[in-house]
Amino acid sequence: MTGPEPGAAADDRLRLHVQVPDELRLFLPARLRRQAGQPEGVSCPYDGTSSLGHVVQSLGVPLTEVAGLRADGTAVPDSYRPPDGARIALSPVPRPQPLPPDAPSPPRFVLDVHLGALARRLRLLGVDTAYRNDAHDPELVEQANEERRVLLTQDRGLLRRRTLWLGAYVRGSRPDDQITDVLARFDPPLAPWTRCPACNGTLRAVAKEEIADQLPPGTRRTYDTFTRCTVCGRLYWPGAHHAGLTARVDDARRAGEGDTSP
């Protein structure tokens, strides 16, 4: 069932008053953000039968971003059907966010097709990150559910899928901002240089003598430390780009520790 468009002109007698905290106002349509800052909150037309979860998502706020709902001061589930005039309060997920008891520890992730740069950075930090640039939405949900991975996306429609066990909206348009957001929200342990940025496989040290015939002559002369992906077989060594990657790792570590200093 679809309810009335929130904020639309209507003669409905039933209305809800929804308090949306600052952390969740980015999800509201522009026309409702100013209203959200008023004492009464967002005045929302209500059909009297839709669940509170449906009302919240019709405002644009995915339930994956909401830690709790209260109606007239009482905690209620998202299936609750509020009475006319109820005052609804949303609370954002805490940071770091506690995961369900059946979630793997440390947490692991699957990313949608638009977050390839974020996937590479998470893998660079040693975070278990599944990613394919050709994965369709149903495949992402299926993989998240079967492997108990948190689905990271900026697609609110994907987060609203009822079958999805756990997902999260990634904030920020730049990979630097996105990695800071994910680390602050889920606080995964970091193990830099242990995963393949290309395929997510684990990296293992390999003797130079074992792979010497696979190396360019300049690399063979210059470097002595190598790792190899146990899945795709790619070789890695601390090349000319290593200093820049190390700086990214250090920045991510500081972000995870809450250090915002330059």
Side-chain angles (χ1 to χ4, degrees):
M1 174 181 293
T2 58
E5 179 71 18
D11 295 326
D12 299 47
R13 296 180 180 179
L14 305 184
R15 300 194 78 80
L16 302 176
H17 305 284
V18 185
Q19 295 284 349
V20 181
D22 290 343
E23 298 91 331
L24 298 178
R25 289 178 190 171
L26 78 157
F27 298 110
L28 296 175
R31 68 181 185 279
L32 296 182
R33 289 176 194 162
R34 179 175 296 181
Q35 190 181 142
Q38 302 302 314
E40 290 294 311
V42 175
S43 179
C44 179
Y46 180 52
D47 61 13
T49 60
S50 295
S51 68
L52 185 52
H54 176 86
V55 172
V56 170
Q57 295 204 122
S58 72
L59 288 170
V61 183
L63 289 179
T64 57
E65 310 309 299
V66 178
L69 300 167
R70 302 184 76 85
D72 295 321
T74 301
V76 295
D78 56 38
S79 58
Y80 178 72
R81 288 172 171 75
D84 179 32
R87 297 182 180 275
I88 308 301
L90 315 183
S91 58
V93 292
R95 293 181 172 233
Q97 177 181 349
L99 297 181
D102 63 340
S105 181
R108 52 198 186 198
F109 303 95
V110 57
L111 277 60
D112 78 13
V113 297
H114 303 292
L115 297 176
L118 175 60
R120 289 189 293 273
R121 295 198 182 192
L122 285 170
R123 291 170 176 175
L124 185 66
L125 295 171
V127 178
D128 188 343
T129 305
Y131 172 80
R132 280 180 30 224
N133 62 8
D134 60 350
H136 298 292
D137 287 357
E139 295 176 283
L140 292 170
V141 173
E142 181 179 2
Q143 183 174 12
N145 293 347
E146 289 184 354
E147 300 177 10
R148 282 301 187 255
R149 293 180 179 272
V150 182
L151 175 56
L152 301 181
T153 182
Q154 293 184 325
D155 182 346
R156 290 183 239 177
L158 188 51
L159 293 176
R160 286 197 293 265
R161 295 200 173 212
R162 291 183 178 273
T163 56
L164 177 63
W165 87 286
L166 187 61
Y169 182 87
V170 177
R171 303 184 185 213
S173 57
R174 301 185 306 124
D176 287 345
D177 298 328
Q178 294 169 355
I179 192 73
T180 298
D181 179 63
V182 172
L183 295 182
R185 179 161 177 174
F186 294 102
D187 193 26
L190 306 183
W193 318 112
T194 61
R195 285 194 177 272
C196 176
C199 79
N200 197 44
T202 55
L203 300 181
R204 294 286 183 268
V206 60
K208 181 177 181 179
E209 297 76 17
E210 186 179 336
I211 45 90
D213 60 340
Q214 303 175 45
L215 301 173
T219 300
R220 192 164 52 244
R221 288 193 304 269
T222 308
Y223 300 101
D224 296 308
T225 303
F226 300 88
T227 57
R228 180 164 55 192
C229 177
T230 58
V231 176
C232 71
R234 285 179 173 85
L235 293 171
Y236 295 93
W237 57 90
H241 62 294
H242 189 74
L245 293 176
T246 299
R248 287 184 178 179
V249 168
D250 291 342
D251 288 344
R253 277 176 163 157
R254 285 195 295 269
E257 295 167 357
D259 182 0
T260 58
S261 61

